[in-house]
Amino acid sequence: MKDNTNTSLAKETKNLLKKYDLKLKSSLGQNFLIDNNKRIQIIKFAELSKKDTVLEIGPGIGTLSLELAKHVSKLICIEQDKRVASILESRVEENHIDNIEIINDDALKVEFDKFNKVVSNLPYQISSPITFKLLEYPFDRAVLMYQKEFAQRMLSAVGDKNYSRLYVMLAFKVNTEFLMDVPKECFMPKPKVDSAVVKLIPNHKFNMENKEEKQLFEDYEKIAKALFQHKNKKSENALINSRHEIGYNDKKELKIKLEDIKNDKLNKLLNKRPINLSPEEILDLTRLLQELFKNKF
Ligand code: SAH
């Protein structure tokens, strides 16, 4: 038997857009999923149960939401576009769904209520800030769709051509896993780029409740930021050039202080280029530089 579900999801989306005369805004990354197989797979990857409270950022007209709601205790949808949110509201009512809460707001600006999973086809223009915001909350698992290029940077590792500050910033917070590619043909309207779905599981490597660990992690983030502004220079020069990130204005002062504390281990790290430093090495570097940055950050 021929499976017409895909054609029908595309058709359903087209009809809804027509019915509500919805003009899509590319500035809000409004590309709706029209591939039913991908929708089924995303839901499977989330391993949902009736105990789950799921957060969905940018639900659009509810392509994922209406299905997600069937498998969970509660779904919280945050949609910035007022017209889109009201279409979702109507669909929820028409389908007699009572476990979806719709919040019509900018996901970057609102506090999130308690949730234990996140499943979203994210609005691409907020990929980075929304990911970091999510990581400030405790959760069990996130299944997120990103632009492919962004996903590749998340999933890279030291030595890869996509090795990035993003990877370094995520390394001590979450374990990331590639789940599947989603070609641009799976969306309406068709975007310019392909997408990929990624799983994020918090790895609890840092205990942010502990004051010292929290401080160390914050210092690590600042050092990573400074290093990756000049990722092909020697790390020592990268730090000196981006000294404002680590609390120094005066180039000479930083150079003298670095000379003072140099030892074999520190020399070795400072001579490497940031693109060749693993997150563990950047953390070592942070530890070795602690004295230097005391009262500076
Ligand atoms: N998840 C849906 C829609 C994806 S399009 C699907 O797969 O079909 C992305 C959606 O995110 C759009 O509806 C857009 O209006 C919304 N959006 C964009 N920026 C947002 C923000 N900052 N906060 C909440 N929603 C946002």
Side-chain angles (χ1 to χ4, degrees):
M1 226 172 43
K2 203 172 161 229
D3 176 14
N4 285 323
T5 328
N6 271 338
T7 358
S8 60
L9 187 55
K11 221 183 222 166
E12 191 185 349
T13 308
K14 214 173 183 174
N15 289 342
L16 283 164
L17 299 183
K18 211 166 149 195
K19 178 177 169 190
Y20 293 100
D21 189 24
L22 184 68
K23 303 274 177 293
L24 295 177
K25 295 179 192 151
S26 61
S27 62
L28 285 178
Q30 290 176 348
N31 304 97
F32 301 141
L33 187 67
I34 52 166
D35 186 303
N36 190 48
N37 292 325
K38 297 293 180 190
R39 173 167 68 172
I40 293 170
Q41 278 173 288
I42 291 170
I43 290 169
K44 266 201 190 139
F45 287 133
E47 293 181 18
L48 300 168
S49 95
K50 281 283 177 194
K51 286 187 193 145
D52 290 330
T53 298
V54 175
L55 178 66
E56 188 188 2
I57 314 274
I61 54 174
T63 309
L64 274 175
S65 333
L66 300 191
E67 287 305 310
L68 280 170
K70 294 178 186 165
H71 302 273
V72 303
S73 160
K74 186 179 173 189
L75 178 68
I76 306 167
C77 292
I78 308 180
E79 171 57 56
Q80 183 173 15
D81 187 314
K82 205 171 167 197
R83 290 223 52 211
V84 173
S86 77
I87 297 174
L88 176 59
E89 188 97 57
S90 310
R91 295 190 76 197
V92 167
E93 273 169 29
E94 279 162 24
N95 287 280
H96 308 290
I97 298 170
D98 61 3
N99 62 343
I100 297 187
E101 181 190 347
I102 301 169
I103 296 166
N104 176 208
D105 214 328
D106 179 345
L108 291 175
K109 294 199 177 132
V110 290
E111 277 289 313
F112 301 147
D113 276 344
K114 215 169 165 352
F115 61 93
N116 70 314
K117 285 185 183 164
V118 198
V119 182
S120 305
N121 165 14
L122 289 172
Y124 294 140
Q125 73 286 359
I126 62 165
S127 298
S128 184
I130 200 68
T131 302
F132 287 105
K133 178 167 179 174
L134 286 171
L135 297 182
E136 288 167 19
Y137 291 81
F139 63 87
D140 303 329
R141 164 190 298 238
V143 172
L144 300 172
M145 176 136 52
Y146 292 99
Q147 260 188 20
K148 195 167 178 185
E149 186 263 323
F150 188 88
Q152 282 168 336
R153 283 194 286 129
M154 284 178 96
L155 296 158
S156 64
V158 60
D160 289 355
K161 72 172 193 314
N162 293 315
Y163 188 55
S164 63
R165 177 176 156 224
L166 178 65
Y167 178 84
V168 169
M169 296 297 223
L170 294 176
F172 293 115
K173 294 224 153 182
V174 278
N175 294 339
T176 46
E177 189 188 319
F178 168 84
L179 294 174
M180 67 173 170
D181 280 320
V182 185
K184 46 181 174 289
E185 288 73 25
C186 297
F187 301 92
M188 183 184 288
K190 189 167 94 173
K192 289 197 178 73
V193 291
D194 292 326
S195 298
V197 179
V198 178
K199 179 164 81 179
L200 272 59
I201 309 253
N203 59 25
H204 307 288
K205 288 198 174 153
F206 274 85
N207 173 7
M208 295 305 223
E209 306 289 304
N210 176 304
K211 218 175 132 213
E212 272 129 48
E213 282 193 38
K214 188 165 181 267
Q215 183 63 52
L216 180 64
F217 187 75
E218 282 169 8
D219 293 351
Y220 166 86
E221 285 184 306
K222 284 174 185 155
I223 289 194
K225 189 168 183 196
L227 288 173
F228 275 85
Q229 283 173 7
H230 308 277
K231 60 183 189 176
N232 290 308
K233 286 191 175 160
K234 270 191 189 176
S235 293
E236 178 166 5
N237 295 332
L239 286 177
I240 290 169
N241 281 313
S242 293
R243 58 194 174 280
H244 51 281
E245 300 291 352
I246 48 178
Y248 281 81
N249 286 323
D250 189 350
K251 195 170 180 172
K252 221 170 165 185
E253 184 194 358
L254 178 58
K255 276 185 167 175
I256 293 169
K257 285 202 175 175
L258 272 174
E259 287 307 323
D260 273 357
I261 58 164
K262 271 187 181 170
N263 57 32
D264 284 355
K265 198 172 174 199
L266 183 55
N267 273 342
K268 212 171 139 219
L269 294 169
L270 289 174
N271 275 324
K272 282 187 153 186
R273 294 167 209 284
I275 47 161
N276 295 320
L277 286 176
S278 68
E280 289 73 17
E281 285 175 315
I282 296 174
L283 187 61
D284 280 345
L285 186 60
T286 309
R287 284 203 183 93
L288 292 166
L289 295 176
Q290 285 280 292
E291 263 314 300
L292 184 64
F293 300 126
K294 234 176 217 169
N295 308 322
K296 276 284 182 186
F297 283 164

